[in-house]
Amino acid sequence: MSRTIATRYAGHTALLTAAASGIGAATAHRLAAEGASVLVTDVDEEGAARVAEEVRAKGGDARHRALDVTDPEAWPHAVRAAEQWTGRLDLLHLNAGRNLPGAVHELDDAAWHGHLRLALDSVFYGCRAAVPLLSAARGAIVVTSSVHAVLGFSGFPAYAAAKGGVTALVRQLAVEYGGRIRVNAVVPGAVDTGLWVDAPAEYRARTAARTPVGRIGEPEDIAAAVAFLGSADAAFVTGQNLVVDGGRSISADE
Ligand SMILES: NC(=O)c1ccc[n+]([C@@H]2O[C@H](COP(=O)([O-])OP(=O)(O)OC[C@H]3O[C@@H](n4cnc5c(N)ncnc54)[C@H](O)[C@@H]3O)[C@@H](O)[C@H]2O)c1
C-alpha cells in the first residue's frame, strides 16, 4: 500500500515548543494535518491554547500546555504530559529563539546569558528530559537554528553564538543517539513572523531582492522542512543542518 503525505505522522505524537506563533504554530498545523497528535507549548499559554484550538477546528488532534523552555524543572512535566496523553513521543521540535540586537561591547552579562539560556540551554534541557521517551519510540529531534549559525551579520553576536552552538550540539547528539533518535536542525533564513514585525519595509524589500527565489520565507516553508526531518522520509538523515532560506546564503549577488 502506498503511503500518502497526509498519513506520514499517523499514530505519532509531537511536542512543539515556542509554538504559539510563527514557525512553531505553522509546524503544529502541518504536523496535525499529517496525522500527528500535537502538544502545543509556549511560555504564552493563551497563545498556545489558541493554536491548539485552531488545529482542532481543522480536524486535527491537539492539546496545549504552558512551557517556559528556559526552566529546567518544567521540562520533565511537559514530557510527562505527552506520555500521559498518548503514551509516546515521536518528535520534539525545539523552536525557541529571538533576535537580540547589540554588538558585543553593548551587551551586558544578563542580556548575553539570557539569550543563550533561551536559544541554547533550552535545547539541552529539552533533550535531557525527552531522550528516554523519544528513544523508546525511535523518534526524532528537530531544532530551529538560523542562518546566523553559518553567516556573519553585524549586530547579532549572542544570536549567532546560540544558533552556532545549536549546530554543533545537533551534530553531537546525532552521533550520541545514533539509530535511537535522529537529530537535525532546520536553518531558516528570513521568515515573515513576529521577529520581523518591526523590520522597516525597505529592509524587507532589500532582503527579498537578495534572495534568489525573490521573497522572504513564510512560516509554512519552515514547517514543511521540520515535517520532513521528523518523518520516516528522513530515516537516513541525521546530524544535518538543513538550510531553508530561498538560496540567500549561497548567493553572491548584491
Ligand atoms: N523569523 C525569522 O526570520 C527566523 C529566521 C531564522 C531563525 N528563526 C528562529 O525561528 C524560531 C521561531 O521564531 P519565529 O520567527 O517563529 O518567531 P515568533 O516571534 O513568531 O515566535 C516565537 C515564539 O517563542 C515564544 N517564546 C519566547 N520565549 C519563550 C520561552 N522562554 N519559552 C517558550 N516559548 C517562548 C514566544 O511566545 C513566541 O510564541 C526561533 O528560534 C528563531 O530564532 C526565525
Side-chain angles (χ1 to χ4, degrees):
M1 194 171 76
S2 70
R3 185 173 47 83
T4 67
I5 205 164
T7 59
R8 202 159 54 163
Y9 278 88
H12 285 197
T13 303
L15 194 168
L16 314 183
T17 66
S21 64
I23 290 168
T27 302
H29 283 285
R30 174 72 191 231
L31 296 177
E34 294 201 34
S37 297
V38 290
L39 182 56
V40 179
T41 75
D42 200 288
V43 70
D44 169 10
E45 184 174 7
E46 238 175 71
R50 192 179 52 247
V51 170
E53 181 53 44
E54 289 165 0
V55 168
R56 287 193 296 270
K58 289 197 226 160
D61 191 21
R63 288 188 179 186
H64 80 277
R65 186 181 173 87
L67 174 62
D68 177 347
V69 294
T70 66
D71 179 359
E73 289 178 14
W75 265 106
H77 298 291
V79 171
R80 210 168 302 125
E83 186 174 21
Q84 284 169 351
W85 180 25
T86 64
R88 59 189 293 157
L89 182 61
D90 300 275
L91 173 60
L92 175 64
H93 182 208
L94 296 161
N95 181 53
R98 88 173 98 75
N99 284 341
L100 175 65
V104 162
H105 68 276
E106 296 163 339
L107 293 179
D108 62 22
D109 290 7
W112 176 268
H113 290 299
H115 196 78
L116 264 69
R117 199 169 164 85
L118 175 67
L120 182 57
D121 295 3
S122 64
V123 176
F124 163 58
Y125 299 147
C127 291
R128 181 173 60 183
V131 154
L133 203 54
L134 283 169
S135 187
R138 292 279 188 271
I141 295 169
V142 179
V143 188
T144 306
S145 181
S146 164
V147 287
H148 285 247
V150 290
L151 293 172
F153 294 86
S154 292
F156 296 93
Y159 190 67
K163 296 302 192 182
V166 163
T167 291
L169 185 55
V170 157
R171 211 175 283 127
Q172 167 68 25
L173 292 167
V175 172
E176 190 97 44
Y177 296 112
R180 286 185 288 152
I181 307 170
R182 293 181 306 99
V183 188
N184 292 288
V186 64
V187 183
V191 182
D192 198 4
T193 69
L195 287 190
W196 275 75
V197 284
D198 296 328
E202 187 272 333
Y203 182 68
R204 292 170 70 104
R206 193 153 33 97
T207 302
R210 283 185 174 169
T211 301
V213 303
R215 63 173 175 89
I216 68 172
E218 296 297 332
E220 291 74 18
D221 293 318
I222 311 306
V226 175
F228 164 68
L229 289 171
S231 78
D233 286 335
F236 205 49
V237 182
T238 197
Q240 299 305 303
N241 283 262
L242 176 59
V243 178
V244 184
D245 70 346
R248 170 74 178 85
S249 61
I250 51 83
S251 171
D253 280 359
E254 282 305 310

